[in-house]
Amino acid sequence: MFLIRLLRFLLGYVRFEATGVFPERFINLCSYNGIKIWSILRRKDGISAYILAKDYRKLREIARRTSVKPRVKIRHGMPFVLRKFKARTGLFAGAAAACAIMYGLSLFVWNIQIEGAKNVDVAEIEAVLKNIGMVQGVRRSEVDTEKIRHELLLSMPELSWAAVNIKGTSAVIDVSEAEPTDTAKDDTPCNLMAGKDGRVISVDVYKGVSNVKEGDAVVKGDLLISGVVDHLNGMVSFLHASGQVIAETESELSVRVEFNQTKMVRNGKSETRRVLTFFGVEIPLYLGSVKGNYELELSEWEMQIDGVNMPVKINSGKFYFTDPVQIVLSEQEALSSARTQISELEKSKYGGMEIVSREEVVQYDENGLTFTVKYLCRENIAIQESILINETD
Amino acid sequence: MPKNKKEFVLGALENLGSALEMPAGTLTKGAQVVLSSNKEAMVEGCKGVLEYSEELIRLSTGSSIIRFMGRDLEIKSLSPGQAVIKGFILSVEFEN
């Protein structure tokens, strides 16, 4: 019944009243001519009934033969609704364009979400995905989820598992991080060699045969723990040597600071340039380029709705203009600057080591100073080196 | 076909139908009336409307005339060969 009503609505129908003496003849002729009429109600001077809009014209001849006057009372259906908007073609064109745009945009991936990354940097995963071709704006039909998953795992050994799911225009990348592997479980035969020159403080052998003892001086490349074990019965075993050889090592860091320096100082002027990225298309919101010396600070704003990133973002760059200023550092200021630089270098180079002693040496000359720090560290100098085994007949 | 021969043929067809235990009127192309309580009646084999008012509707089925009497009667739909009567049907009579 619903389908019949829907069909009638789509085709359009009218309620009409037919006034005359013999409405029965009128009804019979309609039926005889294949004209469907329904809900026929008897009125004082005739009948009222419903008929499809396309059949109403056929009533004219029948009405003439039966001396009945039909009159349309109410019009229903899509054709009559569309007629009202006949002059509003722009409305339909806009609706059609909106549908086309919606359909077109739905063919692409606009949002990429990465879930499950705790220690691994999400930006690193995004960079790898970009290399693979999984970026905002890629066609959904071109996304091979298996290939992307496979290449992501190959490129990032820190991940143990990955899954790529496309939901609508969003791509959800689920990852699981790999547990740190125990290198001691590696059975590849190897020796432990000295990675640096030093004096052996302690030797802890977990597997293999120690070749050095406390107090020995070793140079880089010396054998510390051997993975080749000779047995009393003449057999030779090749082991994965493991252990720790703590040695005192010497090293130094040096920086030079000039007294006369040219520093770029902000002069208070600045300009902001913005770029709108709309569905993968970058639209610069500025004219002209920035000239002169400047310091640049970048920021990004990405549209989000309910926590979902939208493919609309604004990248802003603030240019702080600078002027070169000649400065002359005093000896104290130069030394302070040198200490700061050395401190930064120290953190990066000796971050995990025990520093036994440090000796600072400052050499002044007419143009600046050279600040040198000599370190005595205690560290594990053992590094693995595989044993090449040639099988001979 | 002469009337007597026609009646003979119709009678023979009815006998054959009843012998085969088929519903009456299947072979003789008679009108079929399906009543849904006293609210609606579907008439198959309807040839035309003879009389139509809110208390009385008379339909021609070719071999007979069916008379529906009641209140607020209306022809819900009418198509070649089929009519649906709606309303409070008080009686259905056949006129030959």
Side-chain angles (χ1 to χ4, degrees), chain A residues 119-227:
Chain A
N119 300 318
V120 179
D121 189 13
V122 171
E124 196 183 330
I125 300 176
E126 285 174 354
V128 170
L129 287 171
K130 193 176 177 182
N131 286 337
I132 299 170
M134 186 69 198
V135 291
Q136 219 178 42
V138 68
R139 282 185 74 100
R140 284 173 55 198
S141 58
E142 289 175 4
V143 173
D144 186 345
T145 55
E146 262 311 301
K147 186 184 169 192
I148 290 169
R149 186 190 83 88
H150 188 67
E151 290 196 19
L152 179 64
L153 288 174
L154 279 177
S155 304
M156 298 193 71
E158 311 96 293
L159 302 176
S160 63
W161 174 84
V164 179
N165 294 306
I166 307 291
K167 294 178 187 174
T169 56
S170 289
V172 180
I173 319 282
D174 288 302
V175 297
S176 271
E177 291 168 8
E179 294 291 329
T181 54
D182 184 0
T183 52
K185 290 183 183 169
D186 184 2
D187 290 334
T188 312
C190 66
N191 293 323
L192 290 181
M193 313 298 281
K196 289 182 183 178
D197 301 346
R199 189 174 68 84
V200 177
I201 301 295
S202 68
V203 180
D204 289 318
V205 179
Y206 305 143
K207 212 187 259 185
V209 177
S210 173
N211 203 44
V212 294
K213 58 184 186 305
E214 284 181 24
D216 285 352
V218 295
V219 295
K220 185 176 175 181
D222 280 355
L223 177 66
L224 300 174
I225 298 174
S226 174

Side-chain angles (χ1 to χ4, degrees), chain B residues 33 35 41 66-69 89-94:
Chain B
V33 180
L35 278 168
I66 307 177
R67 180 205 290 246
F68 293 88
M69 287 187 289
I89 300 169
L90 295 174
S91 67
V92 181
E93 290 178 5
F94 289 83

Side-chain angles (χ1 to χ4, degrees), chain A residues 14-42:
Chain A
V14 299
R15 187 169 78 83
F16 70 96
E17 283 187 2
T19 51
V21 183
F22 298 111
E24 290 85 357
R25 190 153 177 260
F26 174 81
I27 295 168
N28 289 331
L29 280 174
C30 287
S31 172
Y32 182 75
N33 285 286
I35 299 169
K36 287 192 182 57
I37 52 175
W38 65 93
S39 295
I40 306 164
L41 288 174
R42 191 67 164 95

Side-chain angles (χ1 to χ4, degrees), chain A residues 187-338:
Chain A
D187 290 334
T188 312
C190 66
N191 293 323
L192 290 181
M193 313 298 281
K196 289 182 183 178
D197 301 346
R199 189 174 68 84
V200 177
I201 301 295
S202 68
V203 180
D204 289 318
V205 179
Y206 305 143
K207 212 187 259 185
V209 177
S210 173
N211 203 44
V212 294
K213 58 184 186 305
E214 284 181 24
D216 285 352
V218 295
V219 295
K220 185 176 175 181
D222 280 355
L223 177 66
L224 300 174
I225 298 174
S226 174
V228 180
V229 177
D230 294 318
H231 298 282
L232 291 173
N233 58 5
M235 294 285 290
V236 178
S237 301
F238 296 98
L239 306 177
H240 179 86
S242 65
Q244 269 196 341
V245 178
I246 307 295
E248 278 184 354
T249 58
E250 290 179 352
S251 56
E252 66 176 42
L253 290 175
S254 182
V255 294
R256 174 155 179 87
V257 178
E258 302 285 334
F259 291 132
N260 295 324
Q261 292 189 359
T262 304
K263 269 198 173 174
M264 303 304 290
V265 177
R266 292 183 185 183
N267 59 16
K269 292 179 189 171
S270 65
E271 273 185 32
T272 305
R273 294 281 195 268
R274 293 186 181 89
V275 174
L276 168 69
T277 305
F278 186 75
F279 290 93
V281 177
E282 289 185 351
I283 304 166
L285 302 177
Y286 59 88
L287 292 172
S289 57
V290 174
K291 290 176 185 169
N293 299 316
Y294 54 81
E295 286 176 3
L296 175 62
E297 282 181 7
L298 295 171
S299 62
E300 185 183 277
W301 172 83
E302 197 164 3
M303 183 191 275
Q304 277 195 354
I305 296 175
D306 275 347
V308 177
N309 291 336
M310 294 287 113
V312 178
K313 59 182 171 187
I314 296 178
N315 291 77
S316 300
K318 191 151 188 183
F319 295 82
Y320 295 94
F321 292 99
T322 56
D323 288 328
V325 172
Q326 289 288 334
I327 54 169
V328 179
L329 296 175
S330 65
E331 284 184 3
Q332 282 299 319
E333 284 169 345
L335 186 59
S336 176
S337 172

